[in-house]
Amino acid sequence: NAGVTQTPKFQVLKTGQSMTLQCAQDMNHEYMSWYRQDPGMGLRLIHYSVGAGITDQGEVPNGYNVSRSTTEDFPLRLLSAAPSQTSVYFCASRLSGTENSPLHFGNGTRLTVT
Amino acid sequence: AQTVTQSQPEMSVQEAETVTLSCTYDTSENNYYLFWYKQPPSRQMILVIRQEAYKQQNATENRFSVNFQKAAKSFSLKISDSQLGDTAMYFCAFMIGYGGATNKLIFGTGTLLAVQP
C-alpha cells in the first residue's frame, strides 16, 4: 500500500513549456485534489475530483487542467508554464462518504518556472 | 465563504516546555470539522489531530491537544513536553461536514514552530 504517489519530486521549466504532474493513489479513494503551497499563503486548492469522470475547480484553477479517467490517477497539467506557477504542489486524496476522514497527502512536487 | 486565520507566523519553544498555536475560523455552518496538520522539513503533510464541531469534548492525541471554543470560533493546538522532532510548520484546516465526497479542506497560512534544545 503505497498511499499517494506524486512524480516528479522536482521540476524546472522554462516559461511557456508544458508538463504534467502525476498523482496516483492505491487506497480506492474517490476524492482527489491538488493544492499549491506558497510562502505565507498556506495551501490553496487548485482542482478536485469526487470520482472518475468528475472534476471541479478550486480556489486557484487558472493555468491548470485536470482529468480523472480512473479512480487511481489524477494528473495536473500546466499547458503554458508561467513564473507565477513556481510553487510546491501537493496531491491529496480521501475516502468519500466518511465525513471526517482525513486527507492523505503525497510528498509534493517542487516546480520552478524560469 | 469560510476562512481560516493563523495569526502567529513563527513561534519558538524550549524543549520539554508547552506551547500553544492559535487558529480562528469564520463560518456560518454548524456542522464542520477542524484539523491540525504538521509539515516537517521533509515537506510531508502529517495529520496531528482532528475535531468534530458537534463534539464538546476537546480532542487529544498523546502530547497534542486542542482547545475548541465553538462560540468564539477558535481552535488552538497545545503541544506538551515539546520535542526537537516537533519542529515543523503547523497548519490549521477546516472542512464543512455535509457528508459525501465534495467537502474541501481550507487551510490557514501556517505557523512555523521551532523547538530549541
Side-chain angles (χ1 to χ4, degrees):
Chain A
N1 190 335
V4 179
T5 303
Q6 284 185 242
T7 55
K9 291 184 179 179
F10 301 94
Q11 183 70 49
V12 178
L13 290 178
K14 295 185 185 301
T15 297
Q17 287 185 318
S18 63
M19 79 158 297
T20 299
L21 306 185
Q22 301 292 343
C23 176
Q25 53 87 14
D26 60 358
M27 298 173 284
N28 203 31
H29 288 174
E30 292 186 359
Y31 181 90
M32 297 186 73
S33 56
W34 278 101
Y35 285 87
R36 61 176 288 173
Q37 181 180 10
D38 302 292
M41 304 191 76
L43 281 79
R44 294 180 292 169
L45 183 64
I46 304 171
H47 285 286
Y48 66 98
S49 168
V50 300
I54 305 170
T55 63
D56 206 346
Q57 296 181 349
E59 185 183 359
V60 287
N62 292 340
Y64 308 95
N65 284 345
V66 292
S67 60
R68 186 90 180 273
S69 57
T70 67
T71 299
E72 295 78 19
D73 301 298
F74 190 46
L76 179 72
R77 296 184 184 85
L78 285 72
L79 297 179
S80 179
S84 61
Q85 294 178 305
T86 293
S87 186
V88 177
Y89 292 84
F90 286 96
C91 178
S93 69
R94 61 185 287 268
L95 281 172
S96 62
T98 305
E99 288 192 353
N100 70 340
S101 65
L103 274 179
H104 296 259
F105 284 85
N107 288 331
T109 297
R110 180 176 293 278
L111 175 68
T112 302
V113 183
T114 62
Chain B
Q2 287 71 38
T3 59
V4 178
T5 301
Q6 294 180 251
S7 59
Q8 305 153 316
E10 296 184 19
M11 295 191 70
S12 180
V13 64
Q14 292 295 124
E15 198 174 6
E17 297 293 310
T18 295
V19 64
T20 298
L21 309 184
S22 299
C23 173
T24 59
Y25 57 94
D26 187 25
T27 184
S28 59
E29 302 294 333
N30 191 50
N31 181 23
Y32 52 87
Y33 299 86
L34 296 161
F35 304 84
W36 279 98
Y37 278 86
K38 168 185 176 181
Q39 186 182 44
S42 67
R43 206 168 68 195
Q44 187 180 6
M45 291 289 288
I46 303 166
L47 177 66
V48 175
I49 199 165
R50 76 184 88 171
Q51 174 82 42
E52 293 86 350
Y54 61 83
K55 289 186 177 179
Q56 292 186 338
Q57 187 173 4
N58 289 326
T60 63
E61 288 286 343
N62 300 315
R63 297 182 295 107
F64 298 87
S65 62
V66 299
N67 183 6
F68 174 47
Q69 301 290 327
K70 190 172 184 178
K73 298 180 182 176
S74 172
F75 182 61
S76 60
L77 174 70
K78 185 172 80 171
I79 306 174
S80 304
D81 185 26
S82 297
Q83 301 175 358
L84 295 178
D86 295 332
T87 293
M89 180 74 84
Y90 287 82
F91 291 99
C92 179
F94 168 98
M95 183 176 76
I96 297 173
Y98 292 138
T102 60
N103 304 324
K104 295 171 281 188
L105 211 59
I106 300 166
F107 286 86
T109 53
T111 296
L112 182 61
L113 176 67
V115 180
Q116 307 292 342

